[in-house]
Amino acid sequence: MRLAALSRLVRLSLARERRGAFFSAFGVAMGVGALVFFVGLGLGVGRVIRERVFPSDARLVDVVPPTVSLGSLLGGGRLDTVMVERLQALPGVEKVYRKMNVRAPAASLYNGDFFGRRLRMGVDLLVVGVDPGLVEGDVPREKFVDPGPGQPLPVLVSNRLLEIYNNTFAPARGLPRLSPQMLQGFLLPVDINRSYVSAPLPNAPVISTQAQVVGTSDRALLAGITLPLDVAVRLNREMGQDTETYSGVTLVATSPGRVPELVAAVRDMGLEIDDQERRLAENVGAAVTLVTSALALLSILICVLAAVNIAHALSASVRARAKEIGVMQAVGASRADVRNIVLAEAGVVGLAGGVLGTLAALLLALLIDRLAASWLPQFPFKPDSFFSFPWTVVVGGVGLGLLAAVAGAWFPSHRAAATDPARTLAG
């Protein structure tokens, strides 16, 4: 049968059975729309978690010294220069970046103008020094160097800390929201070896200085400030603290596939991996995936019910059109022609349902994003969109509608093809 003739017969059949075709397409649209909507929501929330809440590079491995181990008691497992060189020599390591905590508490008492508002606040700070190469994508190297004694310390602030400040702390205190550009050049008084909650180091001086914000970074310390490694070494030396061992080392693997191999090698060297944040991100992502999977399964069940409904409707249609099918076979239609007519009818219904369901999901997602932007209050890491619809999800939704309808029509089409024209026309 030619395509034009098949199209004409399908169009006439659907026009005659438009009520049943409408409800069948509606069932498919409900299932496909729910599936596309929930999958898009899960992908969107997962993207926010990966990119904003717990941003990480799949090639990074954070190495820390062991808390307590036999190797550290015997002189092994220390993150000194020799160990850093051994880490650098591991197969699959592209770069190594050292970290050193300032080994004394630090506090800041700010009392003055804060971007047009009066602010008086005291807070304890964690201070860590890092190799400038670790954050070179966020701040120029010439700005992130040791300026020498008596000069303001160049520091980086975490982007996540800024997000939390803007959407939690600032509204509660009536303070202005800040952008990374506004923060650059801001001076903050800092006292090294002073604390509001813990005892300072005995027999060590208090170093009063200023910290000058030179940028923000996802790799900056969340609950404190990040400064150049040379500055941390100098401050520790001035307070008589250890400057030979490092608090951590960040390895950059040549590819994400080399990370498991590097993790095993690092642990064999008596060191540990700081993957707490990565595990937290994975746990949150797993929870989102689990909920999304449950809702997607429910949507697939709706599609299955739609397929069953199509099978029932087509079976009834085939019985009602038995004489018509018999006449078609009598005038030369083959069994394959009859089967193709029924499958084509179902395909049109499924394709229409898939397209309408997918469009409905996209429009509903757009509406929710608009309402969220207008009505939901600001909160940390609030995204511009809660959804993500890659082309595979859109095409997959339309394809699922078509597949569900054709699957539902499979048995009715074979039943129609098996009609005996002589018996049917004889009555």
Side-chain angles (χ1 to χ4, degrees):
M1 181 179 296
R2 294 180 178 179
L3 182 60
L6 177 62
S7 300
R8 185 169 58 255
L9 288 174
V10 169
R11 186 170 61 252
L12 292 174
S13 297
L14 291 178
R16 183 174 51 194
E17 301 288 342
R18 56 181 176 272
R19 181 184 178 88
F22 171 79
F23 284 109
S24 296
F26 179 78
V28 173
M30 287 290 293
V32 169
L35 179 64
V36 172
F37 178 85
F38 289 126
V39 170
L41 178 61
L43 292 176
V45 173
R47 180 191 60 195
V48 173
I49 292 173
R50 291 190 309 272
E51 297 179 0
R52 300 188 61 185
V53 182
F54 301 108
S56 62
D57 189 331
R59 297 193 302 150
L60 298 186
V61 178
D62 290 321
V63 181
V64 294
T67 306
V68 177
S69 72
L70 182 60
S72 62
L73 295 177
L74 298 177
R78 297 175 68 248
L79 269 178
D80 52 16
T81 303
V82 175
M83 183 62 75
V84 172
E85 292 175 353
R86 290 179 58 193
L87 291 171
Q88 176 71 71
L90 288 176
V93 173
E94 181 177 312
K95 295 179 181 178
V96 171
Y97 298 115
R98 300 161 297 168
K99 299 179 181 179
M100 180 181 291
N101 292 339
V102 174
R103 308 184 196 278
S108 174
L109 177 59
Y110 189 88
N111 185 12
D113 178 77
F114 185 76
F115 297 95
R117 303 291 177 89
R118 184 72 180 180
L119 177 64
R120 178 180 173 85
M121 181 183 67
V123 61
D124 270 37
L125 297 171
L126 297 176
V127 184
V128 62
V130 302
D131 275 324
L134 183 63
V135 293
E136 65 179 351
D138 302 310
V139 60
R141 277 182 177 265
E142 61 272 14
K143 291 186 177 182
F144 199 63
V145 295
D146 185 3
Q151 299 297 318
L153 308 178
V155 300
L156 294 176
V157 176
S158 170
N159 285 321
R160 290 180 291 171
L161 180 62
L162 182 61
E163 178 79 16
I164 294 171
Y165 163 83
N166 281 334
N167 295 294
T168 302
F169 188 83
R173 298 295 183 92
L175 296 173
R177 287 187 170 90
L178 305 176
S179 66
Q181 292 74 23
M182 292 173 63
L183 271 179
Q184 291 191 16
F186 177 71
L187 291 172
L188 180 73
V190 176
D191 290 334
I192 307 296
N193 201 28
R194 189 187 301 277
S195 173
Y196 297 109
V197 296
S198 62
L201 295 176
N203 304 320
V206 175
I207 302 175
S208 296
T209 183
Q210 287 184 312
Q212 185 175 37
V213 179
V214 296
T216 61
S217 174
D218 288 333
R219 296 177 180 176
L221 189 64
L222 175 60
I225 54 178
T226 302
L227 42 73
L229 179 64
D230 291 343
V231 176
V233 173
R234 174 167 60 83
L235 294 174
N236 285 331
R237 183 181 299 114
E238 292 178 9
M239 292 181 294
Q241 300 302 304
D242 176 23
T243 60
E244 300 299 325
T245 59
Y246 301 101
S247 306
V249 172
T250 297
L251 307 180
V252 181
T254 54
S255 67
R258 303 299 296 270
V259 169
E261 174 187 341
L262 287 179
V263 169
V266 167
R267 287 175 174 160
D268 289 341
M269 295 168 65
L271 302 172
E272 294 181 357
I273 303 298
D274 183 10
D275 60 349
Q276 181 178 358
E277 188 166 299
R278 191 188 301 271
R279 283 189 317 223
L280 184 58
E282 290 175 352
N283 291 338
V284 175
V288 172
T289 301
L290 180 62
V291 175
T292 303
S293 299
L295 295 174
L297 178 60
L298 179 61
S299 304
I300 292 175
L301 291 177
I302 296 176
C303 290
V304 172
L305 292 178
V308 172
N309 177 66
I310 290 174
H312 177 75
L314 286 178
S315 294
S317 176
V318 166
R319 288 194 297 269
R321 295 157 55 192
K323 288 188 176 181
E324 176 185 333
I325 295 173
V327 170
M328 292 173 57
Q329 291 178 321
V331 297
S334 65
R335 292 189 174 187
D337 292 335
V338 174
R339 183 168 58 248
N340 290 338
I341 291 172
V342 177
L343 290 176
E345 292 176 10
V348 171
V349 170
L351 186 62
V355 171
L356 292 176
T358 301
L359 288 177
L362 297 177
L363 292 175
L364 180 59
L366 180 61
L367 176 62
I368 290 177
D369 282 337
R370 293 278 182 90
L371 293 176
S374 302
W375 296 96
L376 282 183
Q378 286 293 325
F379 55 85
F381 311 109
K382 180 181 178 181
D384 296 329
S385 175
F386 291 89
F387 300 86
S388 177
F389 295 103
W391 69 269
T392 51
V393 173
V394 176
V395 174
V398 176
L400 178 62
L402 178 61
L403 178 63
V406 172
W410 186 257
F411 289 107
S413 68
H414 281 70
R415 181 175 180 178
T419 300
D420 185 352
R423 181 179 300 177
T424 301
L425 295 177

